[in-house]
């Protein structure tokens, strides 16, 4: 394993042990919030994700879930990325599509760290088809939540 792979592995483990934007507030979701529950039956990963949309901006993402370190790290990285950037719906959907394309590439496409931040560490998952669904779970949930908001 090279140094970059080791760094990425540590980043994934750190996000899974110390998830960002974790926890759904009690009570009803605020106005303009879409919620999505997704499950990966192969691995047992589960996530409930809420996206608050103000006009055309995805203003906040919070989530709760359980599962493997890849699914939990991916959800944490995604929520952190969206919260930091204040992306529009269109930009968020494009981000999700780019992530999906890279993860389905079987290692042919790398995620750009300038665009995907910590989530670029998940590029290597594309080489393991059984793990792609784990990494995609939160991204699919966000796509669904935005559509519902």
């Amino acid at each position: 394993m090279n140094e970059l792979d080791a760094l990425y592995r540590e980043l994934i483990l750190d996000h899974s042990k110390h998830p960002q934007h974790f926890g759904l507030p009690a009570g009803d979701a605020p106005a303009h919030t879409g919620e999505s529950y997704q499950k990966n039956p192969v691995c047992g990963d589960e996530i409930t994700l809420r996206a608050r949309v103000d006009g055309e901006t995805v203003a906040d993402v919070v989530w709760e879930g359980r599962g493997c370190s890849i699914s939990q790290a991916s959800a944490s990285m995604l929520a952190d990325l969206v919260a930091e950037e204040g992306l529009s719906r269109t930009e968020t959907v494009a981000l999700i599509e780019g992530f999906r394309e890279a993860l389905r590439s079987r290692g042919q496409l790398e995620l750009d760290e300038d665009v995907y931040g910590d989530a670029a560490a998940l590029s290597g998952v594309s080489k393991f088809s059984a793990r792609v669904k784990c990494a995609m779970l939160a991204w699919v949930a966000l796509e669904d939540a935005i559509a519902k908001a």
Side-chain angles (χ1 to χ4, degrees), residues 36-39 47 49 78 96 99-100 104 132-133 135-146:
S36 179
Y37 169 80
Q38 300 290 320
K39 183 174 183 171
I47 187 170
L49 181 143
L78 172 62
I96 294 166
F99 189 81
R100 180 180 284 123
R104 289 181 176 168
V132 168
K133 287 184 180 181
M136 281 299 307
L137 194 65
W139 300 72
V140 169
L142 179 56
E143 187 173 48
D144 185 44
I146 289 170

Side-chain angles (χ1 to χ4, degrees), residues 1 16 20 32 43 47 60 97-98 107 121 130 141 143-144:
M1 177 181 350
S16 69
Q20 303 297 303
H32 310 295
C43 193
I47 187 170
D60 193 27
E97 284 300 318
E143 187 173 48
D144 185 44

Side-chain angles (χ1 to χ4, degrees), residues 93-128:
V93 169
L95 195 72
I96 294 166
E97 284 300 318
F99 189 81
R100 180 180 284 123
E101 183 180 357
L103 260 65
R104 289 181 176 168
S105 75
R106 298 191 183 267
Q108 298 301 308
L109 298 175
E110 293 285 322
L111 292 164
D112 183 345
E113 192 173 337
D114 290 336
V115 176
Y116 288 92
D118 286 354
L122 296 166
S123 290
V125 171
S126 70
K127 297 174 188 169
F128 306 97

Side-chain angles (χ1 to χ4, degrees), residues 8-132:
Y8 282 172
R9 183 171 291 181
E10 285 300 314
L11 188 58
I12 290 168
L13 290 174
D14 185 52
H15 268 279
S16 69
K17 290 178 184 177
H18 309 287
Q20 303 297 303
H21 308 276
F22 185 87
L24 300 175
D28 292 334
H32 310 295
T33 299
E35 183 172 301
S36 179
Y37 169 80
Q38 300 290 320
K39 183 174 183 171
N40 176 359
V42 174
C43 193
D45 304 324
E46 295 182 56
I47 187 170
T48 301
L49 181 143
R50 287 183 187 161
R52 184 171 50 84
V53 179
D54 290 335
E56 279 300 306
T57 302
V58 180
D60 193 27
V61 173
V62 293
W63 64 281
E64 282 186 359
R66 63 179 187 82
C68 70
S69 59
I70 292 173
S71 74
Q72 300 302 283
S74 184
S76 175
M77 293 168 171
L78 172 62
D80 217 20
L81 178 64
V82 173
E84 286 178 13
E85 298 297 324
L87 303 171
S88 71
R89 284 179 189 246
T90 304
E91 291 168 324
T92 303
V93 169
L95 195 72
I96 294 166
E97 284 300 318
F99 189 81
R100 180 180 284 123
E101 183 180 357
L103 260 65
R104 289 181 176 168
S105 75
R106 298 191 183 267
Q108 298 301 308
L109 298 175
E110 293 285 322
L111 292 164
D112 183 345
E113 192 173 337
D114 290 336
V115 176
Y116 288 92
D118 286 354
L122 296 166
S123 290
V125 171
S126 70
K127 297 174 188 169
F128 306 97
S129 58
R131 297 314 224 164
V132 168

